[in-house]
Amino acid sequence: MTSQLHLAIDIGASSGRHILGRLEDGIIKLEEIHRFPNGMKEIDGSLCWDVDSIFSEIIIGMKKCAQHGKIPTSIGIDTWGVDYVLIDAKGHRIGETYAYRDSRTDNMDGNLNKCISEAERYRRTGIQKQAFNTINQLTASNLKTPHLLEQADHLLLMPDYLNYRLCGVIQTEYTIASTTGLLNVQTHDWDDDMLLKCGFPRKLFGTILPPGSKLGALTKDIQQAVGFDCTVVMPPSHDTASAFLAVPAVSDNSIYISSGTWSLIGIELDKPITNDAARNANCTNEGGYDYRYRFLKNIMGFWPLQSVAREIGGGISFAKFVALSRASSCTSTFDINDKRLFAPKSMSETIRTLCKQTGQSEPQTSGDFAKCIYLSLAASYASAIKELMTLTGRSFDYINIIGGGSENTYLNELTAAQCHLPVLAGPTEGSALGNIVSQMLAYGQLPDIKTARQVIRHSFDIKMITN
């Protein structure tokens, strides 16, 4: 008898993947079906997402499932946070889908603070101050394109919109809603008072459902296009929330790093921390599975290296970057969270400038840039861990690194040395795995999170790196 198959469609800011998962003899087995590139493109001077292209890749991957005779019982989509799509009463998309790195949110804090103070926003939502938060994006839209909000009937965050395209159901999932800066951290629902003060139409914000909710069958058109039917399930649809669900059971005193384009470093809590110390440290309380809180620091991650690879890498693989960095004598570091790195015209020149301004040698070769970035990331991890220890009053036994960055052995070694903690690296497909596990939980194949994490621990090769 074939065990149930569950399809995770895990879409990041630089790539997407379709991964099938099944539970067989107490072991989770994964199979990649489809992978595709993703990225922002410039439209009329703004950075936007090509949502039609993303959706077409979703359909291509689902068709491949049918071609291989591997029909999933359910499907779940997770993506990055904060970005949204507006649709009208007829379900048609309105305007462009702006990307979080677009500059239209620059200097929006002043306008937002006129509506509600930063301190009050943090007390209500527990979400860190970031220029790209949905609340900042909507403030920019109110000022620059108010007609779009007036025409819209619904605001759907990226995975919610893709779900709608698949099954025709308009709903919002809890973990992705928590990234907006508009969700009340205590009630797990939209903060109506904040929406009113900010001047955002309440009708745009629909019902919020917890991860694991089943939305329903594929529409007839989609069934015909892909060659099968299945149930659309909402996983923790913020990719970091799915990644945190996939952390293997090792120790209750572990700190987690979801390592990819961004590095999200933090712990799980039963209650949020919304005091001034947490706000001043710019920590965030994002929603997790079973209404847990992910108390996190947001670190730039591999975005600088991805950008340098495009500019000067000349087709060098990320595995080759590791080898080159080991051979480099570069010792320079920079603030990996410097705002100038967010969307520079030239990442390599910006890094050179940051090193020069602090009296350090400028990286020259691809290996120099990679080592400089790795050293800076490890230093940032160490600093964040110290802050988290102070804010939570906890000490940590391990660092669990999941996601694509867990394969970077050199960075893992630097992290263990800088943080003076052993690093447990893996699983690699953290977000997709958490997505699949949440579907298994929804279908009763796994009884609870604790059991799921124990199964994950026994299903995958987790490497330990000591300092």
Side-chain angles (χ1 to χ4, degrees):
M1 180 179 177
T2 303
S3 58
Q4 284 183 329
L5 289 170
H6 303 282
L7 177 62
I9 302 177
D10 170 36
I11 308 173
S14 58
S15 66
R17 59 212 57 82
H18 290 55
I19 295 181
L20 283 168
R22 70 184 191 278
L23 188 62
E24 189 174 293
D25 298 325
I27 299 295
I28 296 173
K29 297 188 176 182
L30 303 179
E31 178 184 1
E32 182 176 304
I33 293 294
H34 181 55
R35 185 173 287 260
F36 59 93
N38 189 30
M40 299 162 285
K41 67 178 186 178
E42 189 169 315
I43 299 176
D44 296 329
S46 294
L47 292 175
C48 301
W49 299 108
D50 187 344
V51 291
D52 288 332
S53 176
I54 292 171
F55 191 72
S56 70
E57 292 289 352
I58 289 175
I59 298 301
I60 289 169
M62 293 173 69
K63 286 181 177 179
K64 287 183 178 180
C65 290
Q67 290 164 5
H68 292 300
K70 296 178 179 179
I71 308 302
T73 299
S74 65
I75 180 174
I77 298 176
D78 67 84
T79 78
W80 66 96
V82 307
D83 291 340
Y84 62 87
V85 178
L86 295 174
I87 61 175
D88 63 20
K90 295 182 179 180
H92 300 144
R93 192 170 70 248
I94 300 172
E96 299 296 343
T97 302
Y98 293 101
Y100 62 87
R101 292 191 191 274
D102 182 58
S103 62
R104 80 194 195 289
T105 58
D106 291 352
N107 306 314
M108 280 298 124
D109 276 339
N111 298 89
L112 192 51
N113 288 336
K114 292 176 184 177
C115 305
I116 183 168
S117 71
E118 179 186 330
E120 181 66 7
R121 296 199 304 274
Y122 192 78
R123 185 187 68 78
R124 287 172 177 263
T125 70
I127 296 300
Q128 65 188 331
K129 178 182 177 181
Q130 293 282 8
F132 53 70
N133 288 344
T134 313
I135 189 173
N136 296 65
Q137 294 195 41
L138 288 170
T139 299
S141 186
N142 254 348
L143 290 170
K144 300 176 181 181
T145 54
H147 62 284
L148 294 180
L149 296 183
E150 292 169 2
Q151 294 171 19
D153 205 60
H154 299 280
L155 178 148
L156 293 177
L157 292 148
M158 187 63 70
D160 301 324
Y161 173 72
L162 297 173
N163 286 337
Y164 164 66
R165 293 278 297 266
L166 285 177
C167 68
V169 178
I170 294 176
Q171 295 287 6
T172 298
E173 188 273 325
Y174 164 67
T175 68
I176 200 74
S178 76
T179 69
T180 61
L182 292 165
L183 192 79
N184 189 290
V185 75
Q186 302 294 341
T187 67
H188 310 133
D189 204 351
W190 301 117
D191 192 308
D192 287 346
D193 188 50
M194 277 188 58
L195 295 176
L196 180 64
K197 288 181 177 179
C198 293
F200 305 149
R202 181 61 180 87
K203 68 174 183 176
L204 298 181
F205 302 88
T207 305
I208 296 174
L209 299 179
S213 299
K214 298 177 181 178
L215 291 183
L218 302 176
T219 66
K220 296 299 182 184
D221 287 345
I222 298 299
Q223 289 179 39
Q224 185 174 5
V226 302
F228 62 88
D229 189 19
C230 67
T231 300
V232 177
V233 174
M234 285 179 158
S237 59
H238 185 212
D239 51 11
T240 310
S242 272
F244 267 49
L245 179 58
V247 174
V250 178
S251 167
D252 290 337
N253 289 322
S254 292
I255 194 159
Y256 308 157
I257 301 177
S258 177
S259 179
T261 300
W262 290 91
S263 286
L264 292 306
I265 180 169
I267 60 176
E268 278 189 328
L269 296 173
D270 293 329
K271 296 181 180 179
I273 301 176
T274 57
N275 56 33
D276 286 342
R279 176 172 64 85
N280 291 332
N282 211 29
C283 289
T284 198
N285 297 267
E286 293 176 351
Y289 191 88
D290 204 21
Y291 293 114
R292 298 178 182 214
Y293 296 93
R294 293 172 287 124
F295 189 62
L296 303 171
K297 292 281 291 184
N298 210 21
I299 294 171
M300 196 73 76
F302 284 101
W303 166 248
L305 185 62
Q306 291 167 349
S307 300
V308 167
R310 287 193 293 269
E311 292 173 11
I312 67 170
I316 296 174
S317 69
F318 288 108
K320 182 64 173 177
F321 270 119
V322 170
L324 292 172
S325 64
R326 287 187 184 277
S328 169
S329 60
C330 180
T331 59
S332 300
T333 60
F334 57 91
D335 178 4
I336 199 78
N337 287 319
D338 191 292
K339 292 181 179 179
R340 286 170 285 183
L341 299 171
F342 187 67
K345 291 183 178 179
S346 171
M347 182 65 74
S348 54
E349 287 305 315
T350 303
I351 291 174
R352 287 191 176 109
T353 297
L354 291 174
C355 291
K356 184 177 181 180
Q357 287 178 344
T358 52
Q360 302 176 90
S361 61
E362 300 175 37
Q364 301 298 323
T365 67
S366 295
D368 290 346
F369 275 103
K371 186 173 182 180
C372 184
I373 290 166
Y374 295 151
L375 287 169
S376 301
L377 271 171
S380 182
Y381 294 164
S383 176
I385 288 173
K386 288 179 181 177
E387 276 191 301
L388 290 166
M389 289 173 66
T390 299
L391 291 167
T392 62
R394 292 171 59 174
S395 59
F396 304 110
D397 300 327
Y398 298 95
I399 302 171
N400 285 84
I401 301 180
I402 52 178
S406 67
E407 292 187 306
N408 192 311
T409 54
Y410 185 51
L411 177 57
N412 293 341
E413 292 165 11
L414 293 174
T415 299
Q418 287 268 9
C419 301
H420 306 291
L421 286 170
V423 167
L424 294 164
T428 302
E429 293 291 355
S431 296
L433 176 58
N435 182 330
I436 286 167
V437 163
S438 73
Q439 295 180 58
M440 291 178 174
L441 286 163
Y443 277 83
Q445 291 177 280
L446 295 168
D448 51 45
I449 295 178
K450 182 177 180 180
T451 303
R453 285 176 168 162
Q454 290 170 346
V455 171
I456 290 169
R457 181 71 180 91
H458 294 296
S459 299
F460 299 92
D461 181 23
I462 311 298
K463 297 180 174 64
M464 180 180 284
I465 300 97
T466 56
N467 57 359

